[in-house]
Each structure stands twice: as structure tokens, then as C-alpha cells.
């Protein structure tokens, strides 16, 4: 048996916390990018173009997972959610703030008349023209959400970040989603993967044995699938990428679709698609979680104040540049909470990747250590942990 887990580390102000998942719903044939054609201050073309309509919005929503309860958290009546633009904590970066009830009512948008961009960037838009406070349901849980419903600024701003901070009774948890703004070009190809649950809605979580997740890959040029035909697709589990003896079977007649069932996922599993078009290959990955599995990885994460490793600090995904993060994982029975007591032994492997999926380092040594300086250098890293037991 092989079990996988991922831990995301960021290096920002110690007063903040970070959740590892910002859910995103893409517009039809779109992804987390928008492309523009611009001459001077005049924008002549935008793709895809957002609007306040179904399948035309880019939606961000927090997915807060409790490792103790082995479930995603449902917002309480008094929990406060704050969405910010390009800043995790500044008050002047707030776009929307309020309780779930206020997001449901659409009254959580803050300062809708505030101008986000300047005319010098080619498009001056107010918050109310670009953003909408709403809700999103995933895994049968409804949470506050922020939608992009208008075309943002173009020119000097190449990327934006959407942060969501959730103030629960037991603490503050934050998550981050990215959005790209790019000039159109002949080579602006990108693959996006949509995940839809058989139980309805956009979902990357299997929590019932009969549930499956349908993955659909789309190759976009300048944010649009228009005019693209003849592309070929291959699907693998990420660890098997490039091994054509382990290509996963796509849906009959729909090579762009992969049906992921429970037996394909041990805890956390990353899937990768290769899309070949006009002799060039493009890739995208997506993580599917199965929260039913009996055996799960306890990451065994310890955060030390510095390289002396004599003083521990708060065990959080958030670290300082001087910190050292150490992983000594174990296997836990999720049904009982007890340590693994079955046959055979577990071996662990680690892969450290940046936020673009590029491998930084690998190791099979326990403990596995990551310095805060490396996390800061890459603007955040992802620690992939694999546990293997040949006796199961």
C-alpha cells in the first residue's frame, strides 16, 4: 500500500496562520488566468471575459480541513471571513468581510465604490464592478466565497493574489488563491483541470465509497479553448508521469476526461495530464483527497526556532525565515486514532516542490528537514510525503 500526503509551508508574518486549500471554480473553458490585447491605454480584447452569470465567474472559497475530526469545517454563525487583495493582513486590502449569512445575502462586499486600479493601467474598475460576495457549496458544505465578475486591470499588474482569512472561535486560518493577468501571445497555452463530483458540484474530495470525481482537462490559448482541435491526452498518477505502461484509462470517447474512484486514491493522490498539441506538450496536476481511508499519515511536523533545534515554536504552516521544520511521520488508524499496529513496516519518502510543481529536493531519510530560508526563497513550498508498506 502507498499513502500520500502534502503539507504546504509559507513564510510570512508569525501573527498569521495558513490553511493549505483555497478552492477555485473556473468559468467555462477558463482557468485562473485572463489574457488581454492592449495598445496604449486601450484594451481591444479580453479572454475569457467575466460577468455575473453562471459559468462566467472565477470563484474563490476557503476549504478548511480538520485533521483531528478528519473532515472539512462548516462555518459557524459568528465566524468572520475576510477576503483581501494582494495582502494577507492590511485593512485597506479588504474586498469582502462578514459572516456566512452576510455573504449569503450579498452584503459582505466592503467599499464597493473603491477603485482598484488606475486609468494608467488601462482599466479603472471599482470593487463592485470586479468582485462579488457570494457563497459556494462543496462537499455538502456552504462557505463564503468571492467571485471575479468583471475584467480586472491590465498593464502593470501581472498577477494578483486573493487571500481569505477565517476567524474561527479556536483561531485564525488563512488560505491563498492566485490569478494571472497576461498579454495575449501566440504561445500562451495553458492546461486547466476541472473536478466535478458524482454527488454534484465542484469537488476534489471523496467521502463516500460510491462517489467518484470526474476530471476534465482543457487546453486553453489566451484563456480560450476556441479554435483548438486535434489535441491528445494522457493521464497518470503523478509518481508515474512519463511511464506509458502506467497510463490511466480515460473515459471512452473522451480522452480529456478521467474518472477517479476511491480505489485510485490512498488518502491524497496527485494526478497529472499531458496534453499534446502541434508537437508541443503541456501539463497540469490536481490533488484528489479520500477522507475515508483507514490508514492516514500523521505528518509529525515540529517547528524549531532556529537551526540549533533546541527550542520549539508554534507548530504551524506559517514559519519565520530562521525556523527549521522537521517531519517525523507515522501511520495512524483514522477510525480509532491509534498508531498503526498491523503487519509489515512503513518506509517514508519526501519530495520538496515549489508552488509551480518543480522538484527542489528529495529524500528518504527521517526526519526530513526544511529550513525557513528555503521556504522564503521559493515564496512557499510543498512537502510531499509518501508512505509505503509492501505487506498491505
Amino acid at each position: 500500500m502507498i499513502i500520500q500526503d502534502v503539507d504546504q509551508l509559507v513564510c510570512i508574518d508569525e501573527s498569521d496562520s495558513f490553511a493549505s486549500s483555497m478552492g477555485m471554480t473556473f468559468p467555462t473553458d477558463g482557468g485562473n488566468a485572463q489574457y488581454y490585447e492592449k495598445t496604449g491605454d486601450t484594451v481591444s480584447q479580453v479572454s475569457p471575459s467575466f460577468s455575473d452569470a453562471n459559468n462566467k465567474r472565477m470563484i474563490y472559497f476557503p476549504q478548511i480541513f480538520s485533521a483531528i475530526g478528519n473532515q472539512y469545517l462548516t462555518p459557524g454563525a459568528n465566524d468572520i471571513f475576510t477576503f483581501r487583495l494582494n495582502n494577507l493582513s492590511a485593512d485597506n486590502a479588504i474586498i469582502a468581510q462578514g459572516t456566512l449569512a452576510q455573504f449569503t445575502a450579498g452584503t459582505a462586499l466592503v467599499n464597493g465604490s473603491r477603485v482598484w486600479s488606475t486609468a494608467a493601467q488601462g482599466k479603472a474598475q471599482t470593487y463592485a464592478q470586479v468582485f462579488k460576495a457570494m457563497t459556494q457549496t462543496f462537499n455538502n458544505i456552504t462557505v463564503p466565497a468571492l467571485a471575479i465578475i468583471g475584467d480586472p486591470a491590465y498593464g502593470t499588474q501581472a498577477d494578483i493574489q486573493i487571500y481569505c482569512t477565517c476567524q474561527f472561535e479556536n483561531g485564525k486560518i488563512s488560505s491563498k488563491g492566485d490569478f494571472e493577468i497576461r498579454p495575449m501571445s501566440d504561445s500562451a497555452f495553458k492546461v486547466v483541470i476541472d473536478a466535478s463530483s458524482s454527488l454534484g458540484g465542484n469537488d476534489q474530495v471523496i467521502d463516500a465509497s460510491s462517489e467518484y470525481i470526474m476530471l476534465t482537462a482543457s487546453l486553453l490559448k489566451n484563456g480560450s479553448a476556441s479554435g483548438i482541435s486535434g489535441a491528445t491526452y494522457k493521464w497518470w498518477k503523478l509518481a508515474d508521469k512519463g511511464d506509458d505502461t502506467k497510463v490511466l484509462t480515460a473515459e471512452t470517447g473522451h480522452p480529456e476526461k478521467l474518472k477517479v474512484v476511491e480505489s485510485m486514491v490512498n488518502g491524497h493522490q496527485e494526478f497529472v495530464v499531458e496534453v499534446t498539441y502541434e508537437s508541443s506538450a503541456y501539463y497540469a496536476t490536481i490533488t484528489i483527497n479520500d477522507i475515508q481511508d483507514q490508514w492516514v499519515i500523521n505528518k509529525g511536523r515540529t517547528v524549531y526556532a532556529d537551526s540549533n533545534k533546541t527550542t520549539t515554536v508554534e507548530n504551524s504552516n506559517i514559519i519565520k525565515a530562521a525556523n527549521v521544520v522537521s517531519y517525523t511521520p507515522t501511520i495512524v488508524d483514522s477510525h480509532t486514532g491509534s498508531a498503526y499496529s498491523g503487519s509489515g513496516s512503513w518506509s517514508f519518502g519526501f519530495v520538496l516542490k515549489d508552488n509551480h510543481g518543480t522538484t527542489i529536493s528529495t529524500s528518504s531519510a527521517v526526519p526530513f528537514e526544511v529550513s525557513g530560508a528555503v521556504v522564503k526563497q521559493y515564496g512557499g513550498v510543498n512537502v510531499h510525503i509518501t508512505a509505503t508498506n509492501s505487506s498491505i
Side-chain angles (χ1 to χ4, degrees), residues 234-310:
K234 287 183 181 179
W235 294 89
W236 296 277
K237 292 183 177 181
L238 185 59
D240 301 327
K241 176 184 173 183
D243 185 346
D244 285 354
T245 66
K246 296 182 179 180
V247 173
L248 299 172
T249 303
E251 290 296 279
T252 303
H254 293 279
E256 77 281 5
K257 294 181 179 290
L258 179 69
K259 182 178 180 180
V260 178
V261 298
E262 183 199 10
S263 61
M264 298 167 67
V265 181
N266 287 316
H268 304 261
Q269 180 65 61
E270 288 183 293
F271 295 88
V272 59
V273 65
E274 176 190 87
V275 183
T276 302
Y277 180 70
E278 294 183 343
S279 301
S280 295
Y282 307 91
Y283 298 89
T285 61
I286 190 170
T287 300
I288 303 298
N289 303 307
D290 182 1
I291 63 175
Q292 301 182 102
D293 286 343
Q294 180 175 6
W295 308 115
V296 296
I297 296 176
N298 176 347
K299 300 181 184 72
R301 182 182 64 211
T302 302
V303 183
Y304 293 98
D306 52 43
S307 58
N308 292 325
K309 293 183 286 186
T310 56

Side-chain angles (χ1 to χ4, degrees), residues 3 21 30 34-35 44 46 49 68 103 115 122 142 155 158 161 178 243 265 271 273 281 287 289 307 310 330 335 386:
I3 304 174
S21 179
Q34 190 175 49
Y35 299 83
S44 58
V46 176
S49 185
I68 296 176
F103 276 85
V115 176
T142 299
Q161 290 80 45
D178 296 305
D243 185 346
V265 181
F271 295 88
V273 65
T287 300
N289 303 307
S307 58
T310 56
T330 57
H335 297 169
T386 300

Side-chain angles (χ1 to χ4, degrees), residues 41 61 94 96 142 156 165 169 176 190-191 194 200 228 249 266 274 291 297 336-337 374:
D41 286 344
F61 54 97
I94 295 175
T142 299
T156 61
T165 301
E169 291 182 2
K176 171 178 171 285
K190 183 174 184 178
V191 179
D194 175 74
I228 297 177
T249 303
N266 287 316
E274 176 190 87
I291 63 175
I297 296 176
T336 66
V374 169

